[in-house]
Amino acid sequence: MDIAIILTYRCNSKCSMCNVWKNPSLPSEEISLETMIKIPGGLETINLTGGEPTLREDLMEIVDLLYPKTDKLEISSNGLLPHKLEPIIQKYPDIKIRFSLEGFEATNNLIRGEKNGFDKKTKGLLRLKELGGTDLGFATVIQDDNAEDLVRLFQFSEKNGFELSTSTLHNGFQFHKNDNFPYDRLKIAHHIENLITEQLRTNNIKNWFRAYLGLGLIAKVLGNERLLPCRTGYSSAFIDPWGKVYACNVRPDLYMGDLNIQTLDEIMTGAVADEARRQVDQCKQNCWMVGTAKSSMRQRKFTKLPRWSPFIWVVINKAKVSMGLKINFARSVNYQSAMKYPTGPSRMFYLDQPGERKLQRKEDTHYIQGIDYFNQ
């Protein structure tokens, strides 16, 4: 099973597609070590995310606690404070680190509201590599404002020995907004096609299956149904900064339990979680995020192995690319569906704006219930 722990809603970026930075949590109320002790061992992946996890002063203690409980511990960071990760990598060089990077200097800094963000992230990741880090990379949210940079960003990552994971615009309760829709769906889809082709040209098996994840992103951007059924709530779960457990980070109604007063095992086997999973089975959201999509790509019994449909797609299209043939993407996704969705509203940028922040207290109602988070 995979879990993501949102350690904090504090953030020192000001992203155009996420308003979490406008709604920070109070440090003294954020999920504690005593609560995280209840997380069992034997998990496949634990992702420490936010907000910005390096703003937690006890991040090293959190890592010490959770590292033995999982096959792979991941820290998803904006990369603006890379020095805080140096002692962690020195102690645990195989921890997975992903810095959010939305493009090269001007593009990244505009989308993420960061000054010198690109420079800090790339230098910081290179430093972690020098210290022995073995699983380092960038994570990019594909959107209209950076789609043209995708292939160059992938080539840049490959050249420096870094991984590149991708998602695309989507809505979710933690973002405090629900207007993350593309402007030009077809344009974005065609740029993802180019990235997929580049990934399949490499000799890296992980890149080949990332290409299939990219195919799912094309389907999501075009408004198609998911390529594979969602397994969130079954094989993955999210824990928010106050210890509340949800099946996913999109629908706040998929609440499963409270880690402050229950163990994770009690939550996952309880009646509330069963009802959340029934809702997942009926969910019409068109989500396709790496954290949940990768679990959909696995076999249910032998979770280290891919399902047959992604495996066959990868084998066929890797062979095509190797022979210089083009991939027929239209066999897998419906490009006509993009025509029925309106252009999304223009997103605001906050690079040179202070932005207002509203503190979230533990007793507040944190997520907008009943709001339409539909991801088309």
Side-chain angles (χ1 to χ4, degrees):
M1 182 179 178
D2 302 335
I3 63 168
I5 307 174
I6 305 170
L7 293 178
T8 178
Y9 279 145
R10 291 174 286 143
C11 191
N12 50 344
S13 296
K14 296 183 291 184
C15 297
S16 62
M17 64 282 189
C18 172
N19 286 343
V20 67
W21 60 274
K22 294 183 179 182
N23 298 272
S25 48
L26 187 66
S28 62
E29 295 181 342
E30 292 165 354
I31 184 170
S32 67
L33 288 166
E34 290 72 24
T35 297
M36 285 183 274
I37 286 174
K38 299 179 182 179
I39 295 171
L43 297 171
E44 291 185 78
T45 302
I46 298 177
N47 182 5
L48 304 178
T49 183
E52 175 45 45
T54 59
L55 296 179
R56 286 282 302 241
E57 294 300 323
D58 57 350
L59 182 58
M60 187 75 228
E61 289 81 1
I62 293 171
V63 169
D64 285 336
L65 172 67
L66 297 178
Y67 181 85
K69 294 176 180 280
T70 178
D71 294 339
K72 177 59 70 172
L73 185 64
E74 176 178 359
I75 300 176
S76 297
S77 170
N78 61 19
L80 297 181
L81 300 171
H83 62 280
K84 292 197 171 185
L85 296 171
E86 291 183 9
I88 292 175
I89 282 295
Q90 287 176 306
K91 188 172 184 179
Y92 304 108
D94 62 334
I95 281 183
K96 180 178 179 179
I97 303 289
R98 293 294 180 267
F99 285 173
S100 298
L101 186 71
E102 310 308 341
F104 294 93
E105 192 72 50
T107 302
N108 174 81
N109 294 348
L110 180 66
I111 293 175
R112 298 192 59 83
E114 300 169 350
K115 293 189 176 181
N116 302 317
F118 176 84
D119 188 58
K120 292 176 183 177
K121 296 166 198 282
T122 52
K123 288 181 178 177
L125 214 57
L126 287 168
R127 174 59 179 159
L128 295 181
K129 186 178 179 181
E130 289 177 0
L131 293 173
T134 60
D135 193 351
L136 309 173
F138 298 116
T140 299
V141 180
I142 303 171
Q143 51 199 285
D144 297 82
D145 302 297
N146 67 4
E148 294 180 0
D149 286 347
L150 274 180
V151 170
R152 285 202 307 129
L153 199 58
F154 174 70
Q155 292 169 341
F156 172 81
S157 300
E158 288 284 293
K159 179 181 178 181
N160 287 282
F162 299 138
E163 308 282 344
L164 179 68
S165 62
T166 53
S167 60
T168 191
L169 286 174
H170 63 274
N171 294 307
F173 63 73
Q174 72 183 103
F175 299 146
H176 294 271
K177 69 200 302 284
N178 69 331
D179 59 357
N180 282 334
F181 300 104
Y183 310 148
D184 188 337
R185 294 171 185 268
L186 289 174
K187 182 191 84 169
I188 296 174
H190 291 318
H191 283 298
I192 298 175
E193 289 175 8
N194 295 335
L195 174 62
I196 288 171
T197 302
E198 283 294 306
Q199 290 170 324
L200 289 173
R201 282 181 178 144
T202 71
N203 295 320
N204 186 334
I205 294 176
K206 289 174 70 174
N207 281 338
W208 303 348
F209 283 92
R210 286 194 185 104
Y212 185 85
L213 285 168
L215 184 71
L217 293 179
I218 293 178
K220 188 249 179 295
V221 167
L222 295 175
N224 294 186
E225 293 183 1
R226 289 173 56 103
L227 296 183
L228 298 168
C230 183
R231 294 289 299 162
T232 194
Y234 293 92
S235 56
S236 60
F238 281 80
I239 305 173
D240 82 359
W242 301 283
K244 301 297 179 66
V245 182
Y246 296 84
C248 72
N249 64 335
V250 173
R251 289 177 51 179
D253 59 314
L254 298 182
Y255 171 79
M256 301 176 79
D258 187 344
L259 198 60
N260 295 292
I261 56 175
Q262 300 168 276
T263 66
L264 189 61
D265 287 336
E266 289 171 342
I267 291 170
M268 298 304 296
T269 57
V272 176
D274 286 341
E275 176 57 29
R277 285 188 284 265
R278 281 192 286 270
Q279 294 297 319
V280 168
D281 292 339
Q282 301 169 21
C283 184
K284 301 300 182 184
Q285 292 277 352
N286 183 25
C287 305
W288 189 263
M289 287 87 81
V290 173
T292 52
K294 69 180 183 182
S295 62
S296 296
M297 289 172 59
R298 300 172 184 156
Q299 292 188 23
R300 294 188 183 183
K301 186 175 182 180
F302 304 103
T303 57
K304 300 294 184 183
L305 299 175
R307 293 177 59 164
W308 283 113
S309 52
F311 177 77
I312 292 169
W313 185 92
V314 166
V315 170
I316 290 173
N317 289 288
K318 169 60 181 176
K320 282 187 174 182
V321 170
S322 298
M323 292 185 289
L325 302 175
K326 290 186 177 181
I327 301 171
N328 185 355
F329 289 99
R331 292 190 62 181
S332 303
V333 293
N334 177 12
Y335 287 83
Q336 297 302 313
S337 65
M339 305 303 178
K340 66 181 179 181
Y341 296 107
T343 297
S346 297
R347 286 174 293 281
M348 293 183 62
F349 299 109
Y350 300 96
L351 178 59
D352 295 313
Q353 299 183 35
E356 297 183 4
R357 287 173 167 82
K358 182 181 178 182
L359 186 68
Q360 293 189 76
R361 300 301 301 259
K362 189 173 184 177
E363 66 270 16
D364 294 341
T365 300
H366 304 118
Y367 313 119
I368 306 173
Q369 301 288 335
I371 192 172
D372 183 8
Y373 288 101
F374 199 63
N375 282 286
Q376 290 285 19

